[in-house]
Amino acid sequence: MTIYGVSFDMVGKQPIVLLKCVQSNRFLPIWIGHPEAAAILMRLQGASTPRPMTHDLMVDVLGEFDVKCVQVAVTELRDNTFYATITLEQNGREVEIDSRPSDALAFAVRCGAPIFAADDVVEESAIEFERSGDESDDVVDRFRSFLDDVSPDDFRQQG
């Protein structure tokens, strides 16, 4: 999977991260929190902060102990909640850590880890854009254009 972008649910204004299957035109939408959306989007856009954010700190700490992130995976969907794992490796020993998908994805974009989703999660929740010539390309292009115009500030909660 690749992170295709971060957007808003137009009804509830809840952030959504959109994962795209590498080998198909299927997209997996996952609703996430505002801080995680900002963290993912900042990294995707190459923005930096003067001090490390939580996900940056985690990557830095693990790096100091020669721990490598092997992968992150969206493992299941249960009761409308997605679950994920982060697989870490140190000295040949792998450990799977339970995670929210939003944190796993924010971590993955910082350390360049590959992103996977369980087949049953994709089968149950993915949206497929059928290829009917220019029409599906236009839909995808318009969505990508929208994503290009979104900034981390759009995800800061007002209040």
Side-chain angles (χ1 to χ4, degrees), residues 44-117:
L44 290 177
Q45 293 180 343
S48 61
T49 57
R51 303 290 301 144
M53 292 180 67
T54 303
H55 302 99
D56 299 312
L57 177 63
M58 190 164 82
V59 169
D60 292 346
V61 168
L62 292 174
E64 285 298 316
F65 291 98
D66 293 322
V67 176
K68 179 183 177 196
C69 181
V70 176
Q71 71 176 33
V72 303
V74 179
T75 56
E76 69 178 299
L77 174 63
R78 185 175 1 119
D79 299 324
N80 292 321
T81 301
F82 287 96
Y83 292 80
T85 58
I86 299 171
T87 303
L88 302 174
E89 184 270 328
Q90 181 185 40
N91 298 325
R93 178 176 172 255
E94 284 190 3
V95 177
E96 267 189 12
I97 307 295
D98 182 39
S99 175
R100 297 182 307 170
S102 56
D103 288 324
L105 295 170
F107 187 67
V109 297
R110 282 164 172 73
C111 61
I115 301 166
F116 296 94

Side-chain angles (χ1 to χ4, degrees), residues 23 25 30-31 34 39 48 53 61 66 69-70 87 92 130 136 139 149:
Q23 299 296 327
N25 211 27
I30 300 176
W31 279 255
H34 290 270
S48 61
M53 292 180 67
V61 168
D66 293 322
C69 181
V70 176
T87 303
E130 293 195 23
S136 66
V139 169
D149 293 335

